[in-house]
Amino acid sequence: MNTEILPYSGESIIKAAEIIKNGGIVGMPTETVYGLAANALDENAVRSIFEAKGRPQDNPLIVHISRMEMLRPLVREIPEIALKLAEAYWCGPLTMIFPKSDIIPDVTSGGLDTVAVRMPESKAARDLIDACGLPIAAPSANLSGSPSPTTAKHVFDDMNGRIPLIIDGGFCSCGVESTVICFRDGKIHILRPGGVTAEMLSQFAEVEVDKAVCAKPAENERVLSPGMKYKHYSPKANVIIVDAHGESFADFCTSHKCGKTIALGAGVEEQGIFIDYGSTPELQAQRLFSLLREADENGADIVYVEMPTRDGVGLAVYNRLLRAAGFEVVSPDD
Ligand code: AMP
Ligand code: MG
């Protein structure tokens, strides 16, 4: 199968919608990362997403909608707080978990009795969902385990020959996946941090962050969000988080070079092994996955990354980095 890349336009959206309505998969831009889009209600279409990605079957997919009326048929119940959050943060990078209705196939929900739903902000994504008139299952459009794609080229690099079409909507403004939340005991429980931050959610209810967000779940531990137990977002290079800043970070990286080494510093001047991954959490979120992919293209053996702040979207950056690094954090003081 040849994989075509078409720029986002009225015509390419119609073409993509035809493919999806016929049970196929399309690479779709969103404001978080690119997704692999298929009809969420079609078991076979959803199965082919899992195949294209090589994704474990028990890792459920997020269902994307473009209008509020699309939510009701997918779920058994909508808590009051979900309506308030939808009003505040939809469309946007927030995914909410609801008890699922019978029209959601078990393959879509990874066998769970719940379904994750999001309304993306990207106009291309909403146009595509509208043109299909269907809820769209769309996990990140990377091969399972590798860094998520933030450009159409990244999708092509992973999916060439596996899907017929990628819609090129430019780069992703958020750059990390959506925040995934569920509701427990009147609290908002963050399963995966993302573009809608804990601080933003705390205006609506008490927020708790799942312990698997910043720590490695123990072997065989039951996690609330199956995606959290898998190795994720990882380039081939060995990623190591360095718990140091400024000169101390620079000295550590220079004295611990090993093979082809790259050091991603927060707001550093770019020279030698040093590459700037952004002076703010927002910039870091936008650049992180792209830089990890570039590290592989440049044949890096080791990628040192300066410890990000955990405020705002920084918590999402930290969460992705921890997994990319296989939880390897070093401190110059050790
Ligand atoms: P991705 O599709 O790559 O953006 O990943 C989706 C994330 O949402 C994964 O971590 C999933 O485990 C999580 N997720 C999807 N549906 C559910 C659900 N029903 N309950 C808990 N987590 C979910
Ligand atoms: Mg993913």
Side-chain angles (χ1 to χ4, degrees):
M1 179 191 303
N2 283 330
T3 301
E4 191 179 12
I5 304 181
L6 292 176
Y8 162 48
S9 71
E11 271 164 44
S12 62
I13 291 292
I14 290 170
K15 184 162 184 181
E18 280 312 308
I19 293 172
I20 291 173
K21 285 192 278 185
N22 286 315
I25 312 179
V26 169
M28 169 177 84
T30 82
E31 74 279 16
T32 57
V33 301
Y34 275 70
L36 279 186
N39 178 357
L41 308 181
D42 177 341
E43 263 186 57
N44 289 329
V46 172
R47 261 198 205 98
S48 51
I49 294 183
F50 280 90
E51 255 166 51
K53 274 183 69 81
R55 183 176 172 109
Q57 298 284 336
D58 69 344
N59 192 3
L61 306 182
I62 295 171
V63 177
H64 295 69
I65 58 175
S66 53
R67 285 166 289 114
M68 217 39 209
E69 312 85 84
M70 294 176 80
L71 176 63
R72 184 72 60 185
L74 308 178
V75 304
R76 295 200 303 277
E77 180 194 323
I78 306 177
E80 196 58 34
I81 182 147
L83 288 173
K84 290 194 181 133
L85 290 172
E87 205 175 300
Y89 299 124
W90 277 3
C91 34
L94 178 67
T95 297
M96 296 191 260
I97 312 272
F98 300 93
K100 84 172 187 71
S101 73
D102 290 341
I103 67 167
I104 300 288
D106 285 342
V107 268
T108 305
S109 66
L112 297 175
D113 190 33
T114 51
V115 62
V117 185
R118 164 168 122 82
M119 190 187 296
E121 188 183 356
S122 151
K123 183 147 183 333
R126 277 185 294 126
D127 280 357
L128 180 56
I129 301 166
D130 275 342
C132 295
L134 289 165
I136 296 295
S140 50
N142 52 291
L143 289 172
S144 205
S146 67
S148 300
T150 53
T151 65
K153 181 184 176 290
H154 295 160
V155 182
F156 187 84
D157 290 344
D158 279 19
M159 291 295 149
N160 183 16
R162 294 170 184 253
I163 59 173
L165 176 63
I166 300 163
I167 302 289
D168 186 348
F171 83 106
C172 301
S173 57
C174 179
V176 289
E177 300 83 347
S178 60
T179 306
V180 179
I181 59 168
C182 63
F183 306 105
R184 294 211 312 181
D185 311 324
K187 294 181 197 153
I188 298 172
H189 190 85
I190 298 185
L191 296 169
R192 177 178 75 182
V196 171
T197 63
E199 292 83 345
M200 289 158 78
L201 294 168
S202 66
Q203 296 165 26
F204 292 84
E206 193 182 325
V207 172
E208 54 187 19
V209 177
D210 196 90
K211 64 183 193 319
V213 164
C214 294
K216 186 177 184 172
E219 199 75 23
N220 295 327
E221 184 179 333
R222 197 184 149 267
V223 288
L224 286 172
S225 184
M228 283 191 288
K229 57 184 188 206
Y230 294 109
K231 187 172 156 85
H232 245 120
Y233 320 118
S234 247
K236 294 186 193 75
N238 186 14
V239 178
I240 298 169
I241 302 173
V242 183
D243 191 6
H245 299 282
E247 250 174 63
S248 158
F249 169 73
D251 289 346
F252 178 89
C253 297
T254 311
S255 56
H256 289 76
K257 270 198 285 188
C258 182
K260 169 122 179 125
T261 302
I262 289 176
L264 302 181
V268 292
E269 193 184 322
E270 302 208 339
Q271 56 174 339
I273 63 170
F274 293 96
I275 293 176
D276 179 23
Y277 87 110
S279 53
T280 64
E282 288 75 19
L283 287 173
Q284 292 170 0
Q286 271 179 8
R287 292 179 191 170
L288 179 66
F289 287 135
S290 196
L291 287 169
L292 292 180
R293 281 178 177 259
E294 266 172 44
D296 272 352
E297 276 165 24
N298 294 324
D301 299 301
I302 292 197
V303 182
Y304 290 123
V305 188
E306 184 171 339
M307 176 68 89
T309 101
R310 294 170 216 182
D311 302 328
V313 75
L315 186 63
V317 173
Y318 180 59
N319 167 267
R320 305 309 189 272
L321 265 176
L322 270 180
R323 278 155 180 85
F327 295 89
E328 193 174 357
V329 181
V330 297
S331 164
D333 308 327
D334 290 347

